[in-house]
């Protein structure tokens, strides 16, 4: 997967410079195929050559058929045929005798059937068309035929094609270029067996017109496609880039810390990837704000919680210098020692609470049996005498209650739950730890015989530095972070820690840890 991402990144760097905007990229991607299509204009030369080849064949056939019709005909009949064919086919026909002298010319026998256009007198658009023809011919390397010009000598040998016919006795084709750039096709053929010959001349203007018409149609289609593609590309770019710009502007304002009430647009109306990105960025921003607010609140709470024992410690140490009574001095020393222990406990708990999320995000989970885990914690408390005279009972299912997690962190939840139950239990009270399976999850509840937790207090007990403690407990013995840390650990294990609505058989508080079964 990493190799694929790297290859994609390298391809992107090769395809476009890193500084090119998305709008330019979209336009380039959509316009490149059209530019390739525009290049096909230059390949219209093959179409022109094909038309010329067909016309060469036609001119050769026409010359041969006309020569056969003229052979053996009288002079009057020959002149009539030359005049008629020239007029109907818009050609110039010239007949030469065996000595090569010109004996008949359709242009002399009748009105000329065509004239070459004067490029000087033509409109600008014709000049532009000729320039385009010349540019295409230069690009594709098309050979340029010689210019058509009437020779000063009227003898047959003045025309190379007629000279070859007289030597070889075979029909010949020659291509020349009219003053306006259109092709002029000369076809020469022998007439009879007495050495006479025929020369036909046609100005194939229709070939140039056909090529120009094809080029104009193709250019019109390309230009229309270019305009439509540009409009659609800009529309597509706008639908992508404008929302991204709005997101960038909003995130920059959030980053600069200005206008705390600024909201990153969620773009609910968009169901595409841009909408998904907008909602993801909005949710991420909201989460970051919540975390920032939580950190700020936590910092304020830390300062407040540490300030109290520090104030007490300061008062005790300042009073020590003024008090002479040994008993009172001993009490002040005890107060100072208690405050030092309280500060140490606070610092330890705060340090653990601040780094627990980061540690769990990198931790490797392993199978943990909650029955064994709670049993070990209960045994340690009994061995250390930390049960305060309470009897702790455990109820476990017949099968193993295995979950995936970090054992030392799950032990911390168990210790906090048991400490909380011991704190609120009466002297000699009972504590019940019950573990069971429920719909693919493992539940571990800890119940006590204490006063319970009022409904309006059931969420407050999980807040950091929550200070509601039993009246009999010495002030400062707990940091108020235990249950908050426990809930954080549970949620990091995709579980939950809450106060159960049912108090259980002991009638006191019942806290429930729920984790996915392994």
């Amino acid at each position: 997967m990493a190799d694929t991402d790297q290859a994609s990144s390298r391809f992107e760097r090769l395809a476009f410079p890193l500084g090119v905007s998305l709008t330019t990229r979209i336009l380039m991607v959509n316009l490149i195929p059209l530019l390739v299509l525009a290049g096909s204009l230059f390949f219209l030369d093959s179409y022109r050559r094909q038309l010329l080849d067909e016309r060469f064949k036609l001119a050769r056939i026409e010359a041969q058929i006309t020569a056969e019709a003229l052979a053996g005909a009288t002079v009057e009949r020959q002149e009539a045929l030359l005049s008629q064919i020239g007029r109907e086919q818009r050609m110039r026909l010239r007949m030469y005798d065996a000595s090569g002298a010109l004996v008949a010319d359709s242009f002399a026998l009748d009105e000329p059937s065509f004239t070459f256009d004067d490029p000087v007198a033509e409109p600008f658009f014709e000049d532009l068309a000729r320039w385009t023809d010349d540019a295409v011919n230069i690009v594709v390397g098309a050979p340029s035929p010689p210019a058509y010009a009437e020779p000063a000598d009227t003898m047959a040998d003045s025309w190379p094609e007629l000279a070859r016919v007289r030597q070889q006795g075979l029909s010949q084709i020659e291509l020349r270029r009219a003053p306006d750039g259109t092709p002029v096709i000369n076809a020469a053929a022998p007439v009879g067996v007495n050495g006479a010959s025929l020369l036909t001349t046609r100005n194939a203007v229709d070939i140039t017109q056909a090529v120009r018409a094809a080029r104009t149609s193709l250019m019109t289609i390309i230009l229309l496609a270019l305009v439509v593609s540009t409009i659609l590309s800009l529309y597509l770019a706008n639908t992508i880039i404008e929302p991204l710009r709005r997101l960038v502007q909003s995130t920059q304002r959030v980053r600069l810390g200005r206008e705390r009430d600024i909201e990153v647009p969620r773009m609910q109306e968009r169901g595409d990837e841009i909408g998904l990105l907008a909602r993801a960025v909005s949710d991420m921003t909201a989460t970051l704000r919540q975390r920032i607010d939580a950190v700020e609140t936590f910092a304020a709470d830390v300062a407040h919680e540490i300030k109290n024992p520090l104030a007490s410690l300061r008062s005790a140490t300042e009073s020590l210098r003024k008090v002479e009574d040994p008993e009172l001095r001993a009490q002040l020393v005890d107060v100072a020692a208690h405050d030092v222990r309280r500060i140490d406990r606070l610092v330890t708990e705060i340090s653990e609470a601040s780094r627990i999320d980061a540690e769990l995000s990198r931790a490797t989970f392993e199978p943990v049996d909650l029955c064994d885990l709670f049993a070990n914690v209960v045994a340690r408390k009994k061995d250390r005498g930390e049960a305060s005279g309470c009897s702790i009972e455990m109820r476990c299912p017949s099968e193993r209650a295995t979950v995936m997690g970090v054992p030392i962190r799950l032990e911390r939840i168990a210790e906090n739950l048991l400490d909380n139950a011991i704190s609120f239990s009466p002297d000699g009270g009972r504590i019940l730890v019950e573990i069971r399976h429920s719909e693919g999850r493992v539940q571990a509840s800890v119940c006590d015989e204490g006063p319970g937790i009022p409904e309006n207090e059931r969420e407050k007990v999980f807040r950091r530095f929550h200070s509601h403690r039993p009246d009999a407990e010495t002030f400062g013995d707990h940091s108020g972070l235990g249950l908050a840390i426990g809930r954080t650990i549970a949620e990091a294990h995709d579980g939950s820690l809450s106060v159960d609505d049912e108090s259980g058989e002991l009638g006191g508080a019942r806290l429930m840890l729920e984790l996915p079964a392994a």
Side-chain angles (χ1 to χ4, degrees), residues 58-71:
L58 179 60
R60 189 187 298 274
I61 293 172
E62 287 177 338
Q64 291 173 348
I65 293 174
T66 303
E68 290 179 3
L70 294 174

Side-chain angles (χ1 to χ4, degrees), residues 432-506:
L432 174 61
V433 179
E434 185 176 10
I435 299 172
R436 62 185 179 182
H437 291 274
S438 176
E439 298 178 355
R441 300 178 78 83
V442 178
Q443 296 177 341
S445 61
V446 178
C447 308
D448 58 53
E449 292 182 327
I453 302 175
E455 187 173 352
N456 61 344
E457 294 283 333
R458 291 179 179 175
E459 279 301 313
K460 293 180 181 179
V461 297
F462 295 102
R463 295 178 184 173
R464 289 170 172 171
F465 305 112
H466 183 69
S467 59
H468 179 70
R469 304 302 304 172
D471 295 336
E473 185 176 280
T474 303
F475 178 76
D477 285 348
H478 290 84
S479 64
L481 289 171
L483 292 181
I485 291 175
R487 172 171 278 189
T488 300
I489 297 172
E491 291 175 349
H493 285 76
D494 197 22
S496 62
L497 180 62
S498 60
V499 178
D500 200 344
D501 294 334
E502 299 180 2
S503 60
E505 62 183 74
L506 300 184

Side-chain angles (χ1 to χ4, degrees), residues 132-375:
T132 305
D133 293 339
D134 294 338
V136 172
N137 290 336
I138 292 173
V139 170
V140 300
S144 179
Y148 179 86
E150 290 288 336
D153 189 357
T154 60
M155 296 299 291
D157 289 341
S158 299
W159 298 96
E161 53 269 38
L162 278 175
R164 292 196 298 270
V165 167
R166 290 165 57 81
Q167 293 174 3
Q168 302 173 11
L170 300 174
S171 57
Q172 302 290 327
I173 296 292
E174 192 74 26
L175 176 65
R176 292 181 176 84
R177 179 169 52 86
D180 62 350
T182 56
V184 179
I185 301 174
N186 276 5
V191 179
V193 294
N194 296 323
S197 56
L198 173 69
L199 177 67
T200 65
T201 302
R202 182 193 295 272
N203 184 198
V205 182
D206 56 325
I207 293 179
T208 301
Q209 292 174 344
V211 173
R212 290 177 179 175
R215 184 166 57 229
T216 301
S217 299
L218 185 57
M219 287 182 66
T220 302
I221 294 173
I222 291 173
L223 289 175
L224 181 61
L226 186 64
V227 171
V228 173
S229 179
T230 301
I231 293 174
L232 292 178
S233 297
L234 292 175
Y235 168 76
L236 177 62
N238 186 66
T239 59
I240 295 175
I241 296 169
E242 185 59 30
L244 291 178
R245 286 175 178 167
R246 290 170 57 195
L247 285 176
V248 170
Q249 291 173 356
S250 299
T251 52
Q252 285 179 341
R253 293 169 70 183
V254 171
R255 178 180 62 84
L256 295 174
R258 300 172 184 171
E259 302 181 38
R260 291 277 294 176
D261 58 342
I262 189 70
E263 291 186 3
V264 177
R266 296 184 62 81
M267 303 181 191
Q268 296 286 2
E269 72 281 359
R270 299 191 60 146
D272 56 7
E273 289 79 359
I274 297 295
L276 294 175
L277 174 63
R279 290 186 283 279
V281 172
S282 178
D283 293 339
M284 180 186 69
T285 303
T287 302
L288 287 175
R289 281 177 173 166
Q290 291 175 359
R291 294 217 169 190
I292 291 172
D293 292 341
V295 169
E296 291 176 351
T297 302
F298 183 57
D301 291 341
V302 167
H304 175 74
E305 291 297 324
I306 292 181
K307 187 176 181 179
N308 289 335
L310 281 177
S312 176
L313 179 61
R314 178 182 178 183
S315 176
T317 54
E318 289 179 349
S319 299
L320 277 173
R321 291 179 296 180
K322 303 175 184 179
V323 175
E324 300 295 338
D325 184 6
E327 184 177 351
L328 185 55
R329 288 177 64 87
Q331 291 178 357
L332 290 174
V333 171
D334 290 340
V335 170
H338 179 270
D339 289 335
V340 170
R341 289 194 300 271
R342 183 181 172 192
I343 293 173
D344 180 68
R345 186 183 302 109
L346 277 171
V347 170
T348 302
E349 297 280 357
I350 290 168
S351 175
E352 184 171 6
S354 63
R355 69 170 183 267
I356 195 167
D357 282 335
E359 286 185 358
L360 287 176
S361 66
R362 299 189 299 267
T364 301
F365 287 12
E366 59 184 83
V368 179
D369 189 334
L370 284 188
C371 285
D372 293 344
L373 184 141
F374 270 88

